[in-house]
Amino acid sequence: MKIGIIGANGYTGYELMRLLANHPRADVVYAGSRSMAGRKVPSLYPALSGVYDELRFESPNASVAAKKCDIVFTALPHGLSAEMGAELIKLGCKVIDLSADFRYDSIPLFEKTYEIAHPCPGLNEQKVYGLCELNRKKIVKSTKLVANPGCYPTASILALYPLLAEKVISPDGIIIDAKSGASGAGRKADEAFSYCESSSNFKAYAVTTHRHTSEIEEKLSAAALSPVALNFTPHLLPVKRGILATVYANLVPAAEKRIADVYKAFYEKEPFVKVNPEGEMPELKFVVGSNICRIGYKVDLRTKKVIIVSVIDNLIKGASGQAIQNMNIMYSLDERMGLPAVGNQL
Amino acid sequence: MKIGIIGANGYTGYELMRLLANHPRADVVYAGSRSMAGRKVPSLYPALSGVYDELRFESPNASVAAKKCDIVFTALPHGLSAEMGAELIKLGCKVIDLSADFRYDSIPLFEKTYEIAHPCPGLNEQKVYGLCELNRKKIVKSTKLVANPGCYPTASILALYPLLAEKVISPDGIIIDAKSGASGAGRKADEAFSYCESSSNFKAYAVTTHRHTSEIEEKLSAAALSPVALNFTPHLLPVKRGILATVYANLVPAAEKRIADVYKAFYEKEPFVKVNPEGEMPELKFVVGSNICRIGYKVDLRTKKVIIVSVIDNLIKGASGQAIQNMNIMYSLDERMGLPAVGNQL
Amino acid sequence: MKIGIIGANGYTGYELMRLLANHPRADVVYAGSRSMAGRKVPSLYPALSGVYDELRFESPNASVAAKKCDIVFTALPHGLSAEMGAELIKLGCKVIDLSADFRYDSIPLFEKTYEIAHPCPGLNEQKVYGLCELNRKKIVKSTKLVANPGCYPTASILALYPLLAEKVISPDGIIIDAKSGASGAGRKADEAFSYCESSSNFKAYAVTTHRHTSEIEEKLSAAALSPVALNFTPHLLPVKRGILATVYANLVPAAEKRIADVYKAFYEKEPFVKVNPEGEMPELKFVVGSNICRIGYKVDLRTKKVIIVSVIDNLIKGASGQAIQNMNIMYSLDERMGLPAVGNQL
Amino acid sequence: MKIGIIGANGYTGYELMRLLANHPRADVVYAGSRSMAGRKVPSLYPALSGVYDELRFESPNASVAAKKCDIVFTALPHGLSAEMGAELIKLGCKVIDLSADFRYDSIPLFEKTYEIAHPCPGLNEQKVYGLCELNRKKIVKSTKLVANPGCYPTASILALYPLLAEKVISPDGIIIDAKSGASGAGRKADEAFSYCESSSNFKAYAVTTHRHTSEIEEKLSAAALSPVALNFTPHLLPVKRGILATVYANLVPAAEKRIADVYKAFYEKEPFVKVNPEGEMPELKFVVGSNICRIGYKVDLRTKKVIIVSVIDNLIKGASGQAIQNMNIMYSLDERMGLPAVGNQL
């Protein structure tokens, strides 16, 4: 497969190139980036030298990309990404979009959250929301557009969806206290993300206002078959990679005994979602560097809650790895192809 | 004042020595440590050379300490700390105990939590729980024993006490999602706290079982005048110092408007507790290096909750700094004496 | 003393404000910053709230500053700093300049290194190079201008000056392999200094071309009474603060026995320079947070070299702390006033 | 191939398991560890769960290992490793030893350096020193024993060997100022390597006394055909992984023009050694996560030296990756098989 990446200079673009270097069936032939146009890829990312020595960033152009590529990963700012995606699809490309543009079923909810008019609501209806473990069957040969989920939503929805769908927990009172590494903010020159400002620090941000809240709520409402309004609080960890979400949910009476079975029914055969026995909480380092989501939980009968810990690598399962997983599904390849199944730990 | 520190080799002991080096009225004359007995203090802590060049650790002995000291900070493992404190008080010393031994009003709750019999329940009744801002008036010239609060309880109780006492929030459904730096675990050779295991990592631990839960609940139950059962989840941050607690509480209907006033009434004149205007969340680095607790909050009317962020330096306001603050109060000194009022930020 | 800081928004400006908050004789009354003009100081540096609540940044203006201040710390980019300093001195202020503008005795060497014409070469002759331990006696009541040394030069010159002056080491073949924390680059939005680019990384930079090379060489040539040409290689450490310089120098035959005595003669009575017994190498954490320079050394008779390790906090002894030390000397105060003498270690 | 690892609980053992999980021709069937015997591998290293779920550590036993394995990686403390290796070879296994036991050609030099008698000097003569790029041709089908080089020696020798062999630099006056991440010290409970002691810190250690000095000198003396005595100073970086060595060497007159060609002749076709154009210095993050050594250099005509920067991942090219590379060569496989060719960068 001939692969294009538009927005290739960002961290998700880098991660796509890095991971696809190990994919036996994929060949990155197009790297679109306005700001880096003309430069060789390794001049920005020296770790890629030796592998992408001849690849140059070029100014994003749908016609050029469509001619060269079977499938294009779009990773532009919201609004722009949908426009580029629409053009590419018209020109016959498949598109996996890593922006927020096609993540919502509800256009009004998207527009309220992102404060722009959706550039192509019609196209939005044809997308599949690419949370692979939930929507795998909807991604078929003829699928043209996959909306790759947000990083926080991936960790959060994988933890909560089964328990809501099976009525183990109440849709009310859910709290997601999430912590992410700095790469979640992307590649940019921003004083607030400088080493001196972020190292040895920790902070909550966007309290009650983070955009991923509505993405999570839309998907969980579908699971619960009733509206879910929850609290989502993101924090910035002094690490490069990884998301750990600590989730608090109210147990349906006596349902605590079904948790293990419900998770098992959903995830037992999944190569990239692993649920621990009760009480064994996964750590960030167990998944950083891999495409795996690990989930642990603990019941608190005193407060009638279950506390769930869900961890992913935000750039892999939370972005570029899941995008490749979606590509593999789309092309009926082994879903694991080119994707790391062992975290760094060390 | 002649000061003794027993358990001086640990991180709280170090921090006491470091801070007291700047205290104009205090002179550390006794450093008790079994494992380091005989060694000069700067041989373990070279940063203290030039200041404590002649001070040697000596094997802890109450009689020797009592002869040399007006006041002794005890920082031994629980159980041992109370025994040492009892001896010292008998010998006429004042004691500020940094262990958990005298933190509880309820002996059964202490014994259930720490799984030992309390060595001196009678003495426990004479202690003051040294959360300075709440109990300052109880600490008087004749006070012999102050129980220095735990680090997590300091951050948590300062955030919640006023709101519970003034019935702004419900005593039910409180969640404290707390994150601490690695120094909270103390000075020790433990693989799990090695640089390679902790750096670039993040994890929850002791989920539903951390001992500070009952300390927090006892003090907040007193504030609410009704039993508080809450969820407390500690996490280990890849930083040396600092605690950030993200607290979720259910608002009493229409009470959100009183939050600012309630905090103001409690803390306006406090030198070491600062409450931000709504929506301005403090970061860890604003307080690390200082004795200050900073509190921010945000109301979420959608979910009828208030989200509070409370930050302290776990070794200063959460341990040694607060202990010195208690000492200053005990001796009617300026409460701020020797205590840093500006965080490092950088 | 009424203190002004121009370039107050940068990290050295912040550090001056933070340290001066503990100085019993100094009062910061003027904070000049073009980019932050109009904003309150704590809005940029929340850790300073409670101490500088009423201080606002104002657009730098020499007349206004001179009216309010006895002494002004200038910390502007090179070229601009000299201009501002010249104006202030004309208006009767004392100036401690933290830029490179007045650090050189040789104007041509300055101009070659910084690639600008010196704005006020005449004034340059009146400055004292403020490496306190070497030039203390030259800083007197009538001194108007102190050029605060560079951070790398402070660590390097303190290590080498005595050994060169006393002919313990050869002026030839000196190598300074230096490593600095990220705050050395100052406060700025620069992708290369973002958390994701700097964390878990280490690199050499400006190899053979760093500007501090010529500053170090000029001062050491004066010590050796012969021209010193050396190799200086700076590296970027993934820490916020601190410089560790590993220095290699060729021993004059049989001179290794004099090292301890030579250092003793120079530094024995210094409050802020501490030399260890041979073989005991200081670590960065022993000095970070303090105004102290610690020096260790080891003789290698096999290769006829001495290896010296010199550590400082780049923002304190390497910048703002030394500036305050210079101020204290200028005003005949206790040199240690307001300056931290104990490193954080933890 | 059936693979055994003895000393499997350590970091190099972990890294072997992690890397071999991606090796298409290798199957880890034996994990020897005395301290962990009986435990499942993922109970110690949860990141390996899903891949090594059925593998248990077992108490090291040469007969059992030899029955199960074609080749065994031994990673025991020095002395013990040679004994185990000798037994395995007697039983018909191939051995790649990651300890220091077989790294030296000179038994007296080994014995002086490691202060033990060599347990099997005869076997030592049959080993190949597995610095792949220099000794590839000596590793053949019948090779039974490869001595995997030390981490610092790998980075240092790759940088210096060609220049010494081609007489570009003098064998006198070489200085290697090396910096390593904390994983170089291995997996252990040691206060000095705790997060609180190592984070935000930097230090030199074993100045003039590190054991790798003699390993480097022996190999470089062979390159120079004359004895090399150099200065090697290791430092501890606050990162998990990676070594950066800054090397200073005296140029042979006029030889600076040959540097590029000499490196090209040695490394142009190497998949895992990359030399940059002059002046482009590699950073640690470009190689961490990969089996690559990157080298940069800069000539300083002023001091007649060349400064070389050499970077590797200490656990991959500096240990487990190079061991696998040696295995691939031994079995005439593609040398790159199973080895990561792209650094993490991020």
Side-chain angles (χ1 to χ4, degrees):
Chain A
M1 290 170 299
K2 302 297 180 194
I3 312 281
I5 301 166
I6 295 184
N9 60 309
Y11 285 156
T12 52
Y14 168 72
E15 196 68 3
L16 282 165
M17 290 189 280
R18 188 178 76 85
L19 292 170
L20 289 169
N22 290 318
H23 195 289
R25 300 283 297 278
D27 199 9
V28 178
V29 299
Y30 184 87
S33 163
R34 211 177 32 142
S35 61
M36 297 290 152
R39 286 179 58 176
K40 287 194 171 178
V41 164
S43 78
L44 180 64
Y45 291 118
L48 297 177
S49 79
V51 179
Y52 290 104
D53 288 343
E54 299 315 315
L55 190 66
R56 276 182 195 278
F57 293 110
E58 44 191 300
S59 200
N61 179 305
S63 310
V64 176
K67 247 173 242 164
K68 289 191 183 172
C69 305
D70 302 310
I71 180 165
V72 175
F73 295 91
T74 46
L76 295 172
H78 57 268
L80 299 180
S81 217
E83 284 175 25
M84 177 59 73
E87 277 194 76
L88 288 163
I89 286 171
K90 218 178 289 172
L91 292 160
C93 269
K94 286 176 183 297
V95 168
I96 296 177
D97 183 45
L98 287 95
S99 85
D101 284 348
F102 298 110
R103 288 178 188 160
Y104 289 74
D105 291 328
S106 161
I107 292 288
L109 188 57
F110 170 83
E111 295 186 336
K112 188 182 163 199
T113 305
Y114 284 87
E115 296 172 297
I116 56 167
H118 197 289
C120 35
L123 184 56
N124 189 58
E125 287 175 30
Q126 302 172 37
K127 69 92 195 304
V128 180
Y129 181 72
L131 194 48
C132 315
E133 287 73 17
L134 301 178
N135 292 337
R136 183 182 293 118
K137 287 184 185 161
K138 296 186 193 157
I139 305 169
V140 291
K141 227 177 176 171
S142 62
T143 302
K144 285 178 179 162
L145 175 60
V146 170
N148 215 55
C151 52
Y152 286 125
T154 295
S156 304
I157 298 169
L158 286 174
L160 285 162
Y161 196 101
L163 304 187
L164 279 166
E166 298 300 324
K167 309 214 174 304
V168 171
I169 57 173
S170 162
D172 295 326
I174 292 171
I175 285 168
I176 302 171
D177 192 278
K179 302 87 175 174
S180 172
S183 62
R187 190 171 156 277
K188 58 183 170 185
D190 180 339
E191 220 168 84
F193 287 92
S194 74
Y195 183 83
C196 286
E197 300 297 330
S198 299
S199 167
S200 307
N201 194 28
F202 182 67
K203 65 173 174 182
Y205 66 97
V207 180
T208 75
T209 62
H210 196 281
R211 285 164 165 171
H212 284 176
T213 312
S214 61
E215 182 183 343
I216 297 168
E217 288 179 342
E218 185 184 72
K219 307 315 172 191
L220 293 185
S221 297
L225 301 175
S226 75
V228 169
L230 50 74
N231 277 95
F232 170 69
T233 310
H235 300 72
L236 181 61
L237 280 172
V239 305
K240 284 188 184 180
R241 286 165 173 259
I243 284 175
L244 185 150
T246 311
V247 181
Y248 302 83
N250 294 310
L251 284 163
V252 166
E256 68 274 6
K257 290 170 190 165
R258 291 194 293 124
I259 298 176
D261 288 343
V262 165
Y263 274 136
K264 194 175 171 185
F266 267 74
Y267 295 136
E268 190 177 22
K269 294 178 186 166
E270 289 299 337
F272 292 126
V273 179
K274 303 289 172 193
V275 181
N276 286 345
E278 191 188 341
E280 214 174 278
M281 294 308 198
E283 307 181 14
L284 206 62
K285 67 183 173 192
F286 299 165
V287 298
V288 166
S290 82
N291 195 49
I292 292 184
C293 173
R294 291 191 186 271
I295 294 170
Y297 67 94
K298 185 80 186 288
V299 168
D300 189 348
L301 289 178
R302 234 172 45 104
T303 59
K304 301 187 180 58
K305 290 193 197 288
V306 58
I307 299 108
I308 310 163
V309 169
S310 172
V311 288
I312 60 168
D313 184 313
N314 59 308
L315 291 177
I316 306 185
K317 184 61 181 171
S320 306
Q322 184 151 253
I324 292 169
Q325 192 181 352
N326 278 314
M327 179 189 79
N328 288 341
I329 296 171
M330 231 179 200
Y331 283 91
S332 306
L333 302 173
D334 182 335
E335 198 167 323
R336 299 165 300 175
M337 195 175 280
L339 290 169
V342 180
N344 292 341
Q345 180 135 2
L346 189 56
Chain B
M1 289 171 301
K2 302 297 179 194
I3 312 281
I5 300 167
I6 295 184
N9 61 308
Y11 284 156
T12 52
Y14 168 72
E15 197 67 3
L16 282 165
M17 290 189 280
R18 189 179 74 86
L19 293 170
L20 289 169
N22 291 318
H23 194 291
R25 300 283 297 277
D27 200 10
V28 178
V29 298
Y30 185 87
S33 163
R34 209 177 32 142
S35 61
M36 297 290 152
R39 286 178 58 176
K40 286 194 169 177
V41 165
S43 78
L44 180 64
Y45 290 118
L48 298 177
S49 78
V51 180
Y52 291 104
D53 288 344
E54 300 314 315
L55 190 65
R56 278 182 194 277
F57 293 110
E58 45 191 300
S59 199
N61 179 306
S63 310
V64 177
K67 247 173 243 165
K68 292 191 182 173
C69 306
D70 302 310
I71 180 165
V72 175
F73 295 91
T74 45
L76 294 172
H78 57 268
L80 298 180
S81 217
E83 285 175 24
M84 177 61 72
E87 279 193 76
L88 288 163
I89 287 170
K90 218 176 291 173
L91 292 159
C93 269
K94 286 176 183 295
V95 168
I96 296 178
D97 183 45
L98 288 95
S99 84
D101 284 348
F102 298 109
R103 290 179 187 158
Y104 289 75
D105 290 328
S106 160
I107 292 289
L109 188 57
F110 169 83
E111 295 186 336
K112 187 181 163 199
T113 304
Y114 285 85
E115 298 171 295
I116 54 167
H118 197 289
C120 35
L123 183 57
N124 190 57
E125 285 174 33
Q126 302 172 37
K127 67 93 192 305
V128 180
Y129 182 71
L131 194 48
C132 316
E133 287 73 17
L134 300 178
N135 292 338
R136 182 182 293 118
K137 288 182 186 163
K138 296 185 194 158
I139 306 168
V140 291
K141 228 179 175 171
S142 62
T143 302
K144 284 178 178 161
L145 175 60
V146 170
N148 216 55
C151 52
Y152 285 125
T154 296
S156 304
I157 298 168
L158 287 174
L160 285 163
Y161 196 101
L163 303 188
L164 278 167
E166 297 301 323
K167 309 217 174 303
V168 172
I169 57 173
S170 160
D172 295 326
I174 293 171
I175 285 169
I176 302 171
D177 191 280
K179 300 87 175 175
S180 172
S183 61
R187 187 170 160 279
K188 59 182 170 186
D190 180 339
E191 221 169 84
F193 287 91
S194 74
Y195 183 82
C196 286
E197 300 297 329
S198 298
S199 166
S200 306
N201 194 30
F202 183 66
K203 64 174 175 183
Y205 65 98
V207 179
T208 75
T209 63
H210 196 282
R211 285 164 165 170
H212 285 176
T213 311
S214 61
E215 182 182 343
I216 298 168
E217 287 179 343
E218 184 184 73
K219 308 313 172 192
L220 293 185
S221 297
L225 302 175
S226 74
V228 169
L230 49 76
N231 277 95
F232 170 70
T233 311
H235 299 73
L236 181 62
L237 279 172
V239 305
K240 283 187 186 180
R241 285 165 173 261
I243 283 175
L244 185 149
T246 310
V247 181
Y248 302 83
N250 294 308
L251 284 163
V252 166
E256 67 274 6
K257 291 170 192 165
R258 293 193 292 123
I259 298 175
D261 287 343
V262 166
Y263 274 135
K264 196 175 169 185
F266 268 75
Y267 296 135
E268 192 178 21
K269 294 179 186 166
E270 289 298 337
F272 293 126
V273 179
K274 303 289 173 193
V275 181
N276 286 346
E278 192 189 342
E280 214 174 277
M281 294 307 197
E283 307 182 13
L284 206 62
K285 67 184 172 193
F286 299 165
V287 299
V288 168
S290 82
N291 194 49
I292 293 184
C293 174
R294 291 191 186 270
I295 293 169
Y297 66 95
K298 184 80 186 288
V299 168
D300 189 346
L301 290 178
R302 233 171 46 104
T303 58
K304 300 186 180 60
K305 292 195 195 287
V306 58
I307 299 106
I308 311 162
V309 169
S310 173
V311 287
I312 60 167
D313 184 315
N314 59 307
L315 291 178
I316 306 184
K317 184 61 180 169
S320 307
Q322 183 151 256
I324 293 169
Q325 193 182 351
N326 278 315
M327 177 190 79
N328 288 340
I329 296 171
M330 231 179 200
Y331 283 90
S332 305
L333 302 174
D334 181 335
E335 198 167 323
R336 299 166 299 177
M337 195 175 282
L339 290 170
V342 180
N344 293 339
Q345 179 134 3
L346 190 56
Chain C
M1 290 169 300
K2 303 295 179 194
I3 312 280
I5 300 166
I6 296 185
N9 60 309
Y11 285 155
T12 51
Y14 167 72
E15 196 67 3
L16 281 165
M17 290 189 280
R18 188 178 76 84
L19 292 170
L20 289 169
N22 290 319
H23 195 288
R25 300 283 297 276
D27 199 9
V28 179
V29 299
Y30 184 85
S33 163
R34 210 176 34 142
S35 60
M36 297 291 152
R39 286 178 59 175
K40 287 194 170 176
V41 165
S43 79
L44 180 64
Y45 290 118
L48 298 177
S49 79
V51 179
Y52 290 103
D53 288 344
E54 300 315 315
L55 189 65
R56 278 183 195 277
F57 293 110
E58 45 191 298
S59 200
N61 179 306
S63 311
V64 177
K67 247 174 242 162
K68 290 191 182 173
C69 306
D70 302 309
I71 180 166
V72 175
F73 296 90
T74 46
L76 294 172
H78 57 268
L80 299 179
S81 216
E83 284 175 23
M84 177 60 74
E87 278 194 75
L88 288 163
I89 287 170
K90 218 177 291 175
L91 292 160
C93 269
K94 286 176 183 297
V95 168
I96 295 177
D97 183 45
L98 288 94
S99 85
D101 284 349
F102 298 109
R103 287 178 188 160
Y104 289 75
D105 290 328
S106 161
I107 293 289
L109 187 58
F110 170 83
E111 296 187 335
K112 189 184 162 197
T113 305
Y114 285 86
E115 297 171 294
I116 57 168
H118 197 288
C120 33
L123 184 56
N124 190 58
E125 288 174 31
Q126 302 172 38
K127 67 94 194 305
V128 180
Y129 181 72
L131 194 47
C132 316
E133 287 74 16
L134 301 178
N135 292 338
R136 183 182 292 118
K137 287 183 186 162
K138 297 186 192 156
I139 306 168
V140 292
K141 229 179 175 172
S142 61
T143 302
K144 286 179 177 163
L145 175 61
V146 170
N148 215 55
C151 51
Y152 286 125
T154 296
S156 304
I157 298 167
L158 287 174
L160 285 163
Y161 196 101
L163 303 187
L164 279 167
E166 297 300 324
K167 308 215 175 302
V168 171
I169 57 172
S170 160
D172 295 326
I174 292 171
I175 285 167
I176 302 171
D177 192 279
K179 302 86 176 173
S180 172
S183 62
R187 188 171 159 278
K188 58 182 171 187
D190 180 338
E191 221 169 85
F193 287 92
S194 73
Y195 183 82
C196 286
E197 300 297 331
S198 299
S199 165
S200 307
N201 194 28
F202 182 67
K203 65 173 175 184
Y205 66 97
V207 179
T208 75
T209 62
H210 195 281
R211 285 163 166 172
H212 285 175
T213 311
S214 61
E215 182 182 343
I216 297 168
E217 288 178 342
E218 185 184 73
K219 307 315 172 192
L220 293 185
S221 298
L225 301 175
S226 76
V228 169
L230 50 74
N231 277 95
F232 170 69
T233 311
H235 300 73
L236 181 61
L237 280 172
V239 306
K240 283 188 185 180
R241 286 165 174 259
I243 283 175
L244 185 149
T246 311
V247 180
Y248 302 84
N250 294 308
L251 284 163
V252 166
E256 68 273 6
K257 291 170 191 164
R258 292 194 292 124
I259 298 176
D261 287 342
V262 166
Y263 275 136
K264 194 176 171 185
F266 267 75
Y267 296 136
E268 191 178 22
K269 294 178 186 167
E270 288 299 337
F272 292 127
V273 179
K274 303 289 173 194
V275 181
N276 287 345
E278 191 188 341
E280 215 175 276
M281 295 306 198
E283 307 182 14
L284 206 62
K285 67 184 172 191
F286 299 165
V287 298
V288 167
S290 82
N291 194 50
I292 292 184
C293 174
R294 290 191 187 270
I295 293 170
Y297 67 94
K298 184 79 186 288
V299 168
D300 189 347
L301 289 179
R302 233 171 46 105
T303 59
K304 302 187 179 56
K305 289 193 197 288
V306 58
I307 299 107
I308 311 163
V309 168
S310 172
V311 288
I312 60 167
D313 184 314
N314 59 308
L315 291 177
I316 306 184
K317 183 62 180 168
S320 307
Q322 184 151 254
I324 293 169
Q325 193 181 352
N326 278 314
M327 178 189 78
N328 288 341
I329 296 171
M330 231 177 198
Y331 283 90
S332 304
L333 302 174
D334 182 335
E335 199 167 322
R336 297 165 300 175
M337 196 176 280
L339 290 169
V342 180
N344 292 341
Q345 180 136 2
L346 189 56
Chain D
M1 287 171 302
K2 302 297 179 193
I3 312 279
I5 301 166
I6 295 184
N9 60 308
Y11 284 157
T12 52
Y14 168 72
E15 196 67 4
L16 281 165
M17 290 189 280
R18 188 178 76 86
L19 292 170
L20 289 170
N22 290 318
H23 195 290
R25 301 283 296 278
D27 198 10
V28 179
V29 299
Y30 184 86
S33 163
R34 210 176 34 143
S35 61
M36 296 291 153
R39 285 180 58 176
K40 286 194 171 178
V41 164
S43 78
L44 180 64
Y45 290 117
L48 298 177
S49 78
V51 179
Y52 290 104
D53 288 344
E54 300 314 317
L55 189 66
R56 278 182 195 277
F57 293 110
E58 44 191 299
S59 198
N61 179 306
S63 309
V64 176
K67 248 174 240 164
K68 290 191 183 172
C69 305
D70 302 310
I71 180 165
V72 175
F73 296 91
T74 45
L76 295 172
H78 57 269
L80 299 180
S81 217
E83 284 175 24
M84 177 61 73
E87 278 193 76
L88 288 163
I89 286 171
K90 217 177 289 173
L91 292 160
C93 269
K94 285 175 184 299
V95 167
I96 296 177
D97 183 45
L98 288 94
S99 84
D101 284 348
F102 298 108
R103 288 179 187 158
Y104 289 75
D105 291 328
S106 161
I107 293 288
L109 189 57
F110 169 83
E111 295 187 335
K112 188 182 163 197
T113 305
Y114 285 87
E115 297 171 295
I116 55 167
H118 196 289
C120 34
L123 184 56
N124 189 57
E125 287 175 33
Q126 303 172 37
K127 68 93 192 306
V128 180
Y129 182 71
L131 193 49
C132 315
E133 287 74 16
L134 300 179
N135 292 338
R136 183 183 292 119
K137 287 183 186 162
K138 296 185 193 158
I139 305 169
V140 290
K141 227 176 174 171
S142 62
T143 302
K144 285 179 177 161
L145 174 60
V146 171
N148 216 54
C151 51
Y152 285 124
T154 295
S156 304
I157 298 168
L158 287 174
L160 284 163
Y161 196 101
L163 304 187
L164 278 167
E166 299 299 324
K167 310 216 173 301
V168 171
I169 57 173
S170 160
D172 295 327
I174 294 172
I175 285 167
I176 302 171
D177 192 279
K179 301 87 175 175
S180 172
S183 61
R187 188 170 158 279
K188 58 182 171 187
D190 180 338
E191 221 169 84
F193 287 91
S194 73
Y195 183 82
C196 285
E197 300 297 330
S198 298
S199 166
S200 307
N201 194 28
F202 183 67
K203 65 173 174 183
Y205 66 98
V207 178
T208 75
T209 63
H210 196 281
R211 285 164 166 172
H212 284 176
T213 311
S214 61
E215 182 183 345
I216 297 169
E217 288 180 342
E218 184 184 74
K219 308 313 173 192
L220 293 184
S221 297
L225 301 174
S226 74
V228 169
L230 49 74
N231 277 95
F232 170 70
T233 311
H235 299 73
L236 182 63
L237 280 171
V239 306
K240 283 187 186 180
R241 284 165 174 259
I243 283 174
L244 185 149
T246 310
V247 180
Y248 301 83
N250 294 309
L251 283 163
V252 166
E256 67 274 6
K257 291 170 191 165
R258 292 193 293 125
I259 298 175
D261 288 343
V262 166
Y263 275 135
K264 194 174 170 185
F266 267 75
Y267 296 135
E268 191 178 21
K269 294 179 185 164
E270 289 298 336
F272 293 126
V273 179
K274 304 288 174 195
V275 181
N276 287 346
E278 192 189 341
E280 213 174 276
M281 294 308 198
E283 307 182 13
L284 206 62
K285 68 184 172 192
F286 299 165
V287 299
V288 167
S290 81
N291 194 50
I292 292 183
C293 173
R294 290 192 187 270
I295 293 170
Y297 67 95
K298 185 79 185 290
V299 168
D300 190 345
L301 290 178
R302 233 171 47 104
T303 58
K304 302 189 180 57
K305 289 193 196 288
V306 58
I307 299 107
I308 311 163
V309 169
S310 173
V311 288
I312 60 168
D313 184 314
N314 59 308
L315 291 178
I316 307 185
K317 184 62 180 170
S320 306
Q322 183 150 257
I324 293 169
Q325 193 181 352
N326 278 315
M327 178 189 78
N328 288 341
I329 296 172
M330 231 178 200
Y331 283 91
S332 305
L333 302 174
D334 182 335
E335 199 167 323
R336 299 166 300 177
M337 195 175 280
L339 290 170
V342 180
N344 292 340
Q345 179 136 6
L346 190 57

